Amino acid sequence: MDRCNFRCPYCMPAHTFHEGYRFLKSSERLSFEEITRLTRIATRMGLRKLRITGGEPLLRPNLADLIGDLSTMTGIEDIALTTNGILLAKYATELKAAGLSRITVSLDSLDREIFQSLSGGFDGVQQVLEGIDAALRAGLTPLKINAVIQRGINDNGALDLVRHFRGTGVIVRFIEYMDVGNRNNWQAERVVPSAELFERINAQWPLEPLQRDYVGEVAERYGFRDGLGEVGFISSVSQPFCGSCSRARLSSEGRLYTCLFAEQGVDLRTALRTGASDEQLLEQLISIWSGRSDRYSEQRLVMRERHTDKVEMFHIGG
Ligand code: SAM
Ligand code: SF4
């Protein structure tokens, strides 16, 4: 889903994504049938894990139907969803019943006013916390929190997030503020390196390194030495992990991106809608995948000069 009910300034700033902004028409979005068809074909290349994101995925009508189709597909082992959590209390049980495995909720601050400014004006922190509780009750675990930390904006509240979720089984993961898209007026000074956050947390609750969950896991994991859970750090700016990235991102309109910082995706919708066979689509996927060479994060300094028209985060979901 390309639309969102928030206007986080670092992702879809309200001055650009206002009422006159042209989002996709529903006929321009891939249908559930088109998404499941592409997914089925991609399982032949080894696709096993899916993440549904956006924009705000819970705005897509009948999303549980799509999850139901994907979760019963041969080859698919794990389906996660990333959401801002505002509609989660309403849908958690239905999503679990449809076969959703796990959920990630974005929550940058527990402070009502800071939350409000980081979501573009929505007084919703309580509603998001209720959504998290509903997801835990529904068994959408392990539940992860994504928190984007910016210096001078919400970095002082990072420890409050840790304190709030320690001992609950919820895993807080801190994401370095990234220069995705072209509209968020990214400033390097706003990035709080994970190493600095680690020090602050470690000083209060001593941490010890944990194994990465799987090859290509983007978060560095640390457990609290007292056994009360773990935190993670996603350091795309200070410690790029392009080399181990095995993610492909499909936008709502059917473009496939092999990098979060790409300028151009490859259009698959035309082929889907003009009678391409499964074999032809498979060939197209194989050629895109084998030809990929994106290493934006590792080459950020040079690439910032060259990539002036990157895809926006809400198109491909982080
Ligand atoms: N709307 C859903 C949400 O907010 O969870 C899903 C889509 S959102 C684009 C996915 C993730 O990208 C969120 O956790 C969000 O915080 C993160 N994100 C967006 N812009 C970012 C930026 N400039 N730097 C780092 N993370 C960003
Ligand atoms: Fe919407 Fe998520 Fe982007 Fe915020 S981060 S504007 S909730 S898509």
Side-chain angles (χ1 to χ4, degrees):
M1 171 56 87
D2 59 323
R3 289 168 191 259
C4 188
N5 41 8
F6 278 8
R7 288 291 177 273
C8 307
Y10 53 71
C11 179
M12 293 176 78
H15 57 79
T16 305
F17 299 91
H18 45 67
E19 278 173 15
Y21 184 83
R22 191 188 168 292
F23 287 99
L24 297 175
K25 294 188 212 140
S26 55
S27 60
E28 292 171 318
R29 265 183 229 125
L30 290 190
S31 65
F32 287 174
E33 289 70 26
E34 289 168 330
I35 297 171
T36 41
R37 181 169 175 217
L38 280 179
T39 309
R40 186 170 295 109
I41 295 169
T43 59
R44 291 165 64 186
M45 293 168 63
L47 176 70
R48 296 289 172 264
K49 298 175 68 165
L50 298 174
R51 178 169 294 275
I52 318 269
T53 168
E56 176 47 44
L58 298 183
L59 289 180
R60 179 95 187 221
N62 307 316
L63 183 73
D65 292 347
L66 173 67
I67 291 174
D69 290 342
L70 296 172
S71 66
T72 47
M73 188 177 287
T74 308
I76 295 300
E77 293 164 1
D78 184 75
I79 307 183
L81 179 134
T82 307
T83 173
N84 61 29
I86 207 83
L87 296 172
L88 189 52
K90 184 169 172 199
Y91 292 118
T93 312
E94 187 182 330
L95 292 169
K96 177 69 183 177
L100 186 69
S101 328
R102 295 177 297 115
I103 205 147
T104 301
V105 181
S106 301
L107 178 59
D108 299 332
S109 177
L110 290 169
D111 179 277
R112 195 171 158 194
E113 277 174 27
I114 297 174
F115 178 96
Q116 197 158 347
S117 78
L118 285 175
S119 61
F122 297 87
D123 181 13
V125 70
Q126 199 49 41
Q127 215 173 317
V128 173
L129 291 173
E130 283 162 20
I132 292 170
D133 285 345
L136 291 173
R137 281 197 304 276
L140 288 166
T141 50
L143 191 148
K144 292 177 185 158
I145 301 289
N146 274 358
V148 177
I149 300 298
Q150 295 179 64
R151 195 179 302 284
I153 308 274
N154 63 339
D155 55 334
N156 284 342
L159 263 61
D160 293 338
L161 279 167
V162 178
R163 187 177 296 109
H164 185 89
F165 290 107
R166 242 170 65 85
T168 65
V170 172
I171 302 166
V172 179
R173 303 186 319 165
F174 294 102
I175 306 183
E176 287 177 347
Y177 169 45
M178 290 188 279
D179 50 339
V180 283
N182 318 289
R183 298 183 171 118
N184 72 2
N185 187 27
W186 186 79
Q187 294 156 292
E189 313 79 71
R190 288 256 180 99
V191 178
V192 182
S194 295
E196 183 183 324
L197 270 184
F198 171 89
E199 285 308 331
R200 290 199 220 168
I201 299 168
N202 189 44
Q204 182 124 5
W205 300 285
L207 294 168
E208 60 194 2
L210 299 175
Q211 288 283 346
R212 286 188 193 254
D213 266 346
Y214 52 88
V215 179
E217 153 83 288
V218 293
E220 264 186 280
R221 303 170 55 212
Y222 290 89
F224 297 113
R225 283 188 193 269
D226 62 11
L228 286 184
E230 66 176 86
V231 285
F233 298 93
I234 302 177
S235 319
S236 146
V237 180
S238 66
Q239 281 180 296
F241 34 76
C242 302
S244 61
C245 176
S246 59
R247 294 175 180 209
R249 296 169 166 88
L250 181 64
S251 71
S252 304
E253 65 197 313
R255 299 186 79 84
L256 192 74
Y257 294 84
T258 53
C259 176
L260 198 51
F261 299 94
E263 285 177 11
Q264 296 284 323
V266 180
D267 170 35
L268 296 175
R269 191 181 64 191
T270 305
L272 278 166
R273 294 189 180 176
T274 52
S277 67
D278 284 4
E279 294 310 317
Q280 285 166 328
L281 284 164
L282 179 63
E283 260 172 47
Q284 197 176 355
L285 289 180
I286 291 174
S287 106
I288 298 167
W289 195 246
S290 53
R292 80 199 178 110
S293 63
D294 315 277
R295 284 198 300 127
Y296 179 91
S297 278
E298 287 181 357
Q299 302 173 338
R300 179 170 265 108
L301 285 180
V302 190
M303 300 296 266
R304 267 187 78 73
E305 306 289 312
R306 283 194 219 144
H307 283 227
T308 50
D309 194 20
K310 294 171 289 179
V311 62
E312 298 298 329
M313 190 74 146
F314 73 94
H315 264 297
I316 51 174

